[in-house]
Amino acid sequence: MAMNNRLTFNKTAEKWEEYLPLGNGRIGAMIKTHPCNEILQLNEEGIWSGGPIDRINPDTQKYLPEIRELVKEGKVLEAQELGFETISGTSFNERVYQTAGEFRVDFFSEDNYGIECGWPLQHKVVSESLDSYAAELDLDSACSVVTYTDQNGVKFTRRTWISAVDDVLFMHVTASEKGMINFRGYLDRGIWVDSVYAENGMIFLEDSHGIPFCVGAGVSASGGSVGTKGFCLVGEGCNEVLFYIDIQAWKWNGKPITKKQYDKSIKKNYWSEQCKNHLMKIRKAVENNGIGVAADAYFAWHVNEYKTYWNKCYVEIGDNRDRDNGDRPQTTVETPVPDLLKAAGSDNVELVNKYINFGRYLLIAGSRCPGKLPATLQGLWNCYMDPPWGSKYTININTEMNYWPVNMAGLSECELPLFELLERAYNNGCDAAKRMYGCRGYVLHHNTDFWGDAAPQDSWLPGTYWVLGAAWLATHIWEHYEYTLDEEFLARYYYLIHEACIFFVDFLQPCSLTASDGKPYLVINPSLSPENSYVTKAGQVGAFTEGCEMDNMILEHLFKSCLKARNVLGDHACNKKGKKYNSKDFSDFEYILEHLKKPELNSDGSLMEWNTEVPEVEPGHRHISHLYGLFPGHTITVEKTPQLAEACKKTLEKRLSAGGGHTGWSQAWIINFRAQLEQGNESLTALTKILSNSTLPNLLDNHPPFQIDGNFGALAAVIRMLVQSEFDENGEVQLKLLPALPSEKAWQNGSVRGIHIKGGYILDFDWKDGKACNIKLKPENERAGKIKVNCGF
């Protein structure tokens, strides 16, 4: 187990994407782990590019009927032209997540003091330090560790962590001999900065180009001297050193706020004082207790808090014995992660174990209290001012994928920031629903941001005008409840499910296709299948359509979740103000469920993506949205809908044969599809592909560029290869063990502990020679004990 909890490295990172991520949910850092020229790239969840903006197009409602009619008539390009003009946000872009800058610190000896010309300005690294260099990310204690020995034979150790207890970043430096630690460090953010200065022996950087913030760095040492010179922290001849860094930004309470109110609120700078006071408090405690005692205490408090999450579950594939000789224990020498990746293959379970543990680590580091916001497209980590896709919340797959594994991994608390974001977006979503579409309820499109922006993002025809963002996110509320059975949680967030349904009661349109009762199916118009396009009857490339398979499946998932939640809550199913909903709402919901189009097959036996069979422009497209009903939806199963399950298999083969699955997150979704279809060997093939083709040397997912969704999607998929659970129509949980176990020899033994299943149960079991054994199932609470679990073991 210990080896699977460490990522080791013997070469320094070549680029930011290869640094090691640390985080406490609010503060994040990517650590270069260089022996002498260290870089700590810094993030704080609330640093975004600006205040709230009203981007809602004033002409949407006026032209919506015309757009719908054009789509019905097959005049798709005309509809898209009018949609571009009248649905697009008046400014194409929401706010983007931004870096807080970098803390650059050089460590040097007397022999290599001084800097040469060149960029970046840094001290020369001696060969001995690089030759002896070793770094690791310790997943078990959430810290990075760097060790090296310089030309004088002095061994240095540098440990960095971000504490949720103290809400600060620490870097502790020790040496094998006294008086040998020398350093110079400074803060930098390029041109995006208002001021950098030293005060009371610490350094600070402030900026207000976007949401205003202050980052500060302080240092304490035993022996030698530390202080400031100009804008730098400096130290000479120290025995032991402890750095501490904090970031404080303007805080929003989540209540509706106008641009005028925001502009007024940021005039009084309180965040810089918060940062300074926090660092002064840390420095006084360190000085009162001594460097060694203080560093050990801060680290111990950090580890104890972190392990309340980390120790909740683990998964280990393989039996810790050499695969070539079952009687010989595996070597205790750890292979550096980049070398493991080069050897990625179906039998490399050491790599898989490290990879899934890294996924759990990222969830804990990136999405928990003291943080309040969920993981962005890059999690908590972003080095750019204008990052790829804004490092926002892409809610047509990527944000949702980030949270697929949380409940199974016993990390339900880590999903709470997602619901806080949805609450932030609710008021804007209501405004967009009313002003754009003349509808009740609330709506989100395919992106949102810090402010919960609800207007369409970009002008990307196959993506921008999608209206199911809130609907998909709201299904997570019910899924969260099915694992936790937390009725208080369900009652608090129920309105977000209900109001998402209400929007579609008003928005859905009848189409020419009819349900079994002879009445028209209800569809979204205009709609699109993210982010795909098709060939129209006129031979043109189109995206706008009268409904599609993903619409039908998300809406089915949403409306069923709402009705189930209402059955659980009864009179407690209330709106945000605590008032009961009109009973007519629920009859409307039931009617809509009966009039959503059912899945159909193309002539080649694959699942139909649009509501009629049309040629695809890009058969190998990265999105496979029409399989939503297979996963994360619940419509298609191998037992209940075998014909549709076979159609899903054909759909996957069709996509893959045309080059699909070429991005990290797309391949992660494919593994989940394969697991749901109980295709163990195919699941392993897809897992091997994501490790071989879409994983960076530090195990972060590579779209490319770096996105974190693939890490979380693949973690969910591996767990689902081993365990799946669902409620049936009788309210009982159907549990499957090893539903998609590959035939690969290295996978035939293993164990899981603390996996959570639906119904509020915790599951432990082993498997040997491909068969489950030592099965233990225990309820997490009294509510769970009342749920029956049917196990097929």
Side-chain angles (χ1 to χ4, degrees):
M1 277 296 295
M3 291 177 63
N4 294 331
N5 292 341
R6 284 195 302 267
L7 309 185
T8 59
F9 305 85
N10 58 9
K11 294 181 180 178
T12 59
E14 295 182 0
K15 54 184 179 180
W16 173 82
E17 288 84 357
E18 298 175 4
Y19 292 9
L20 301 185
L22 298 175
N24 70 353
R26 184 182 76 85
I27 298 173
M30 291 284 275
I31 315 300
K32 187 175 182 180
T33 63
H34 193 279
C36 303
N37 311 128
E38 183 63 287
I39 299 175
L40 281 65
Q41 183 273 315
L42 304 170
N43 286 107
E44 201 275 348
E45 64 171 0
I47 298 175
W48 291 65
S49 60
I53 45 177
D54 182 356
R55 303 186 304 109
I56 289 179
N57 195 310
D59 287 331
T60 305
Q61 194 172 161
K62 178 180 177 180
Y63 289 96
L64 184 60
E66 184 177 348
I67 293 169
R68 285 171 165 166
E69 195 59 35
L70 287 169
V71 172
K72 280 188 174 184
E73 294 172 0
K75 299 176 181 178
V76 176
L77 269 61
E78 294 177 43
Q80 291 173 174
E81 172 73 28
L82 193 55
F84 168 77
E85 295 168 350
T86 66
I87 303 178
S88 302
T90 53
S91 168
F92 290 145
N93 294 299
E94 298 168 346
R95 298 307 191 185
V96 305
Y97 184 46
Q98 296 184 322
T99 178
E102 296 176 337
F103 179 60
R104 290 174 169 261
V105 55
D106 278 10
F107 296 93
F108 49 85
S109 65
E110 293 181 358
D111 299 348
N112 65 332
Y113 177 75
I115 52 177
E116 297 179 345
C117 294
W119 184 257
L121 293 174
Q122 58 189 25
H123 291 79
K124 185 178 180 180
V125 185
V126 297
S127 59
E128 289 85 352
S129 295
L130 290 174
D131 292 342
S132 59
Y133 165 83
E136 70 175 50
L137 181 62
D138 186 341
L139 307 179
D140 195 48
S141 57
C143 70
S144 66
V145 180
V146 179
T147 61
Y148 63 96
T149 302
D150 72 2
Q151 69 274 27
N152 300 312
V154 179
K155 183 177 180 179
F156 296 86
T157 301
R158 190 165 67 245
R159 181 168 62 188
T160 308
W161 69 96
I162 305 179
S163 169
V165 177
D166 296 288
D167 202 12
V168 72
L169 182 153
F170 291 101
M171 183 164 64
H172 184 210
V173 187
T174 59
S176 61
E177 295 182 21
K178 292 184 177 182
M180 302 304 292
I181 302 175
N182 306 288
F183 65 86
R184 182 258 290 138
Y186 62 95
L187 295 164
D188 185 34
R189 199 176 184 242
I191 64 172
W192 304 98
V193 62
D194 290 340
S195 61
V196 179
Y197 58 92
E199 184 178 301
N200 293 326
M202 296 183 282
I203 56 174
F204 299 92
L205 182 154
E206 296 180 357
D207 185 67
S208 60
H209 286 87
I211 292 178
F213 71 94
C214 174
V215 54
V219 63
S220 298
S222 65
S225 63
V226 295
T228 60
K229 289 182 180 178
F231 55 90
C232 297
L233 283 180
V234 295
E236 297 178 11
C238 303
N239 303 332
E240 188 175 8
V241 174
L242 182 65
F243 294 90
Y244 27 93
I245 297 174
D246 186 27
I247 312 169
Q248 294 291 334
W250 175 88
K251 296 293 189 295
W252 181 37
N253 60 14
K255 295 180 179 179
I257 185 171
T258 64
K259 182 180 184 302
K260 185 177 180 180
Q261 291 169 329
Y262 167 77
D263 290 342
K264 181 179 179 181
S265 73
I266 63 174
K267 288 181 179 179
K268 184 179 181 181
N269 179 351
Y270 59 82
W271 44 92
S272 293
E273 274 313 297
Q274 287 180 339
C275 183
K276 293 172 184 178
N277 290 339
H278 192 189
L279 292 181
M280 284 296 293
K281 180 181 177 181
I282 296 290
R283 186 165 74 181
K284 287 179 180 178
V286 172
E287 290 173 351
N288 289 338
N289 293 283
I291 298 289
V293 171
D296 289 347
Y298 283 129
F299 185 65
W301 295 333
H302 154 73
V303 171
N304 288 340
E305 185 274 342
Y306 170 76
K307 281 181 176 285
T308 63
Y309 295 90
W310 178 254
N311 287 344
K312 285 191 173 182
C313 87
Y314 77 80
V315 176
E316 185 168 20
I317 300 161
D319 58 2
N320 273 330
R321 290 185 175 273
D322 189 287
R323 288 186 291 278
D324 297 324
N325 184 339
D327 297 325
R328 187 172 65 247
Q330 284 188 336
T331 175
T332 56
V333 177
E334 291 192 56
T335 305
V337 171
D339 294 336
L340 274 177
L341 280 169
K342 293 175 184 176
S346 60
D347 64 341
N348 194 338
V349 293
E350 181 184 354
L351 175 59
V352 173
N353 285 325
K354 288 180 183 288
Y355 183 72
I356 59 179
N357 281 339
F358 183 54
R360 288 199 298 127
Y361 164 82
L362 290 173
L363 267 175
I364 302 168
S367 183
R368 82 177 195 276
C369 185
K372 294 179 183 268
L373 287 168
T376 72
L377 206 57
Q378 281 75 32
L380 189 56
W381 303 278
N382 163 45
C383 69
Y384 302 101
M385 295 300 296
D386 188 10
W389 300 286
S391 192
K392 301 188 295 295
Y393 304 107
T394 304
I395 54 178
N396 68 357
I397 173 62
N398 312 91
T399 299
E400 289 86 353
M401 182 179 284
N402 285 351
Y403 290 92
W404 286 352
V406 286
N407 294 302
M408 294 183 292
L411 297 173
S412 296
E413 304 97 316
C414 294
E415 194 175 23
L416 297 180
L418 181 67
F419 306 124
E420 179 151 335
L421 176 69
L422 195 53
E423 282 199 310
R424 284 187 178 208
Y426 172 73
N427 289 309
N428 290 332
C430 290
D431 190 44
K434 182 178 180 180
R435 289 168 56 196
M436 292 183 68
Y437 304 115
C439 296
R440 298 170 297 158
Y442 75 117
V443 64
L444 299 177
H445 295 84
H446 90 302
N447 268 256
T448 191
D449 65 2
F450 174 90
W451 300 103
D453 193 319
Q457 161 72 27
D458 299 325
S459 55
W460 171 232
L461 286 171
T464 294
Y465 310 99
W466 191 73
V467 294
L468 286 156
W472 192 345
L473 288 175
T475 65
H476 279 243
I477 297 169
W478 177 249
E479 297 290 330
H480 185 100
Y481 169 77
E482 285 198 317
Y483 279 94
T484 64
L485 300 186
D486 186 342
E487 291 187 20
E488 184 178 345
F489 161 86
L490 185 62
R492 174 181 171 182
Y493 293 109
Y494 171 78
Y495 77 96
L496 293 170
I497 311 177
H498 192 108
E499 298 286 337
C501 292
I502 286 292
F503 171 78
F504 289 103
V505 171
D506 294 351
F507 188 79
L508 293 176
Q509 299 291 302
C511 72
S512 58
L513 302 172
T514 57
S516 57
D517 62 1
K519 294 181 180 180
Y521 282 126
L522 298 174
V523 298
I524 296 172
N525 182 11
S527 184
L528 49 89
S529 185
E531 297 171 6
N532 208 354
S533 53
Y534 64 95
V535 180
T536 69
K537 291 180 180 179
Q540 300 164 325
V541 177
F544 279 19
T545 182
E546 261 195 297
C548 66
E549 179 63 11
M550 188 185 217
D551 295 353
N552 306 328
M553 293 297 95
I554 289 180
L555 291 175
E556 179 185 273
H557 195 181
L558 174 70
F559 281 90
K560 283 187 175 180
S561 296
C562 189
L563 292 171
K564 290 175 183 176
R566 191 250 185 155
N567 288 338
V568 170
L569 294 174
D571 291 341
H572 298 290
C574 298
N575 65 18
K576 193 175 183 180
K577 296 180 180 179
K579 295 182 179 180
K580 295 180 185 178
Y581 285 103
N582 192 315
S583 59
K584 183 179 180 299
D585 289 353
F586 302 104
S587 59
D588 288 342
F589 298 168
E590 290 171 350
Y591 181 86
I592 287 173
L593 273 173
E594 293 168 0
H595 293 85
L596 294 174
K597 184 178 175 294
K598 305 302 182 285
E600 287 190 53
L601 307 188
N602 290 313
S603 54
D604 63 2
S606 63
L607 199 69
M608 198 178 287
E609 182 165 359
W610 290 271
N611 280 349
T612 57
E613 185 168 1
V614 292
E616 292 181 83
V617 173
E618 190 182 345
H621 198 271
R622 63 194 176 278
H623 284 257
I624 314 178
S625 304
H626 45 316
L627 297 195
Y628 181 99
L630 176 65
F631 184 82
H634 309 288
T635 305
I636 301 172
T637 68
V638 293
E639 296 89 2
K640 294 181 180 179
T641 57
Q643 184 182 15
L644 292 177
E646 287 301 314
C648 290
K649 294 177 184 178
K650 290 183 180 180
T651 301
L652 289 171
E653 295 307 323
K654 184 177 175 181
R655 268 286 201 269
L656 293 173
S657 65
H662 50 276
T663 66
W665 66 262
S666 180
Q667 195 64 249
W669 203 355
I670 288 169
I671 311 169
N672 280 282
F673 289 144
R674 296 296 197 183
Q676 184 67 20
L677 291 167
E678 301 183 11
Q679 294 181 297
N681 291 338
E682 291 83 354
S683 298
L684 181 56
T685 297
L687 177 61
T688 303
K689 284 182 179 179
I690 199 173
L691 291 169
S692 300
N693 304 329
S694 300
T695 301
L696 291 159
N698 56 2
L699 295 187
L700 285 173
D701 175 66
N702 196 17
H703 180 287
F706 156 56
Q707 286 184 194
I708 207 163
D709 40 22
N711 287 102
F712 297 141
L715 169 60
V718 173
I719 295 175
R720 289 173 53 75
M721 289 169 69
L722 305 175
V723 180
Q724 293 179 24
S725 63
E726 291 294 347
F727 274 98
D728 64 17
E729 59 276 6
N730 299 317
E732 298 177 358
V733 173
Q734 301 298 323
L735 174 63
K736 295 180 181 179
L737 300 184
L738 308 178
L741 186 72
S743 60
E744 164 61 46
K745 181 181 178 182
W747 282 67
Q748 297 314 298
N749 301 305
S751 60
V752 300
R753 296 290 183 271
I755 291 294
H756 285 53
I757 67 168
K758 291 188 174 182
Y761 284 88
I762 301 174
L763 173 68
D764 298 344
F765 76 97
D766 303 317
W767 70 96
K768 186 173 178 59
D769 298 327
K771 303 294 183 183
C773 57
N774 304 323
I775 302 160
K776 297 178 182 178
L777 194 62
K778 60 182 179 181
E780 188 173 14
N781 50 50
E782 291 182 3
R783 295 186 299 272
K786 299 176 183 179
I787 302 294
K788 183 178 179 182
V789 178
N790 297 311
C791 311
F793 35 76

